[in-house]
Amino acid sequence: MGRLIVVSNRVPLPDKRGNLPAGGLAVAVHAALQERGGIWFGWSGKSVGSAEPGPVTTRDNGKISYVLTDLSKRDMDEYYSGFANRVLWPIFHCRLDLAEYARREKDGYFRVNRMFADRLLPLLEPDDTIWIHDYHLIPLAEELRRRGVKNRIGFFLHIPWPPADILFAMPIYDQILRGLSSYDLIGFQTDHDLDNYVSCLIREGEPGRAPGTPTAAESPAAATVEAYGRTFKAATFAIGIETADFAALASRSKGTATVRDMRASMGQRDLIIGVDRLDYSKGIPERISAFETFLHAYPERQGKVTLLQVAPSSRSDVPEYQQMQQAVEAQCGHVNGTLGQIDWTPIRYVNRSVGRSSLAGLYREARVGLVTPLRDGMNLVAKEYVAAQDPDDPGVLVLSRFAGAARELKGAVLCNPHDSEQTAQAIERALSMSIEERRERWRRMMDYLLAHDVKQWCRDFLHAL
Ligand code: ADQ
């Protein structure tokens, strides 16, 4: 078996002592790299201003080499903040209204992908397997093929794939579709994403699913695709978390200062928790409105329940994100001002990141996990919330039907985040659920998450590739 070459926009580097960054994806992919040896290639996160980036830097750690490239300020603005985050991200999350298409930024996106290909090429050996991650790097396989690379190349899309009418509104959608056909395997989070992708090909006049009887290994979750003169596979690989480790962490975290302080300050009140990057796809303003609706619809709950919303800023250089931060602050202030009491604050809003151990402990304290994205590839917070629960007294997950995780977590109470009354009812249902039902729902989800953790996800993808 040859080496594994992983390419992603950012590379999760271990610290000086060799400790890996927290988060399941980094740990699982590192495990695969450690087993086979290989390279993790990507952007260093640094911009070199107006200069051209210097040569790549390499850091070796056992059998893994981390190879990093800087970007110029222009590359960063056009490729990352521009095309990736202001065109692909909103369109793939069905927010055409927020997409800001500009030819210059599109050119920057393809230019950086060419630069990645040029820099990766000399590092490749003929039997390497290449695994490329996410929407920043869709054209990379096509660029590598142009340079004569014959290796197996896989791609995993962490975010949703949109319906055809949404994708086709993007001026260069055809280049994106064609670019994907250079891969040998394309992985999606859910069968809905795979269906949307195949429908786009069919609408484009590409055959999509190859004719003939599917093999036993094929199902609605896998397809052989013929498009743009190539035959390749597309399939679903729902990403998981490190379930057992996260559960153990949550159980240990009961005693941490953050969790103790939180519990003490709550008294007998119930805690509802929301944890997200501050991003419009996560439905945070809609969630706060739903919580406000809930407090009006069930006045007996006033004074007895608190929503803790932890939401660190992200992508603060993009104007939509700055506006959203101000809007969320104003909204929380409004709810607290109109409904709060001397000794009760309905919403506690924390605009920063929380350490992994505290996060696990806070999930476990919360009677309800409120995970209501408007659209989300998977949503790992939903899975972490379930894994963190006390098996004897588990909380209830209220989950948006538009999160990829809703395809798997059958024990969640599903809601439509656009419907604040229905979400309010889901919160009430979660808070009043019997212990027997809570245990039964939680067990079903936990068994599933233990069997489908992130290491399994990684193995499944690489096996298929
Ligand atoms: P994200 O959009 O970043 O990921 P998500 O899947 O929820 O979303 O992962 C977020 C991670 O960050 C979780 O592990 C969570 O614990 C952590 N996190 C979030 N807020 C935090 C906070 N305040 N403090 C500490 N940690 C916090 C993209 C896609 C998702 C897909 C993942 C993985 O958008 O749909 O699930 O990739 O494929």
Side-chain angles (χ1 to χ4, degrees), residues 3 37 75 83 95 134 138 160 285 290 356 394 422 454 459 465:
R3 300 181 309 170
D75 286 342
F83 196 74
R95 291 299 301 268
D134 231 0
I138 292 172
R356 219 133 170 90
Q422 197 215 48
V454 69
R459 278 194 291 271
L465 180 58

Side-chain angles (χ1 to χ4, degrees), residues 22-93:
L25 174 68
V27 174
V29 174
H30 270 101
L33 275 167
Q34 196 59 50
E35 196 178 308
R36 299 169 63 154
I39 295 173
W40 198 326
F41 181 94
W43 175 32
S44 62
K46 291 190 202 118
S47 143
V48 290
S50 57
E52 279 305 303
V56 295
T57 54
T58 303
R59 190 171 132 193
D60 293 322
N61 189 10
K63 288 159 76 183
I64 309 175
S65 295
Y66 302 93
V67 182
L68 304 176
T69 179
D70 296 339
L71 294 178
S72 69
K73 168 91 170 48
R74 175 170 159 238
D75 286 342
M76 196 181 87
D77 289 347
E78 294 176 10
Y79 147 83
Y80 179 69
S81 306
F83 196 74
N85 284 341
R86 295 192 79 189
V87 179
L88 292 175
W89 177 272
I91 288 181
F92 281 42
H93 287 87

Side-chain angles (χ1 to χ4, degrees), residues 158 189 275 277 282 310 312 353-354 376-380 384:
H158 289 260
Q189 299 272 25
V275 174
R277 274 187 308 105
K282 304 293 182 186
V310 187
S353 191
V354 172
D376 216 330
M378 177 52 59
N379 195 299
L380 297 182
E384 290 166 356

Side-chain angles (χ1 to χ4, degrees), residues 383-404:
K383 294 188 171 183
E384 290 166 356
Y385 175 77
V386 172
Q389 295 309 300
D390 176 352
D392 292 330
D393 187 19
V396 180
L397 176 65
V398 173
L399 179 61
S400 160
R401 55 181 297 181
F402 303 113

Side-chain angles (χ1 to χ4, degrees), residues 262 265-274 291 294-295 301-309 336 343-349 365-368 370 427 431:
M262 181 73 200
S265 70
M266 287 291 292
Q268 293 302 307
R269 293 188 185 107
D270 285 324
L271 176 65
I272 300 178
I273 194 166
F291 184 64
F294 161 79
L295 291 173
R301 295 281 184 192
Q302 290 185 21
K304 300 207 171 66
V305 58
T306 292
L307 169 64
L308 170 65
Q309 176 63 54
N336 287 340
D343 61 347
W344 172 61
T345 308
I347 303 177
R348 297 189 192 179
Y349 169 55
E365 280 299 304
R367 173 62 55 232
V368 178
L370 194 51
I427 296 172
L431 284 171

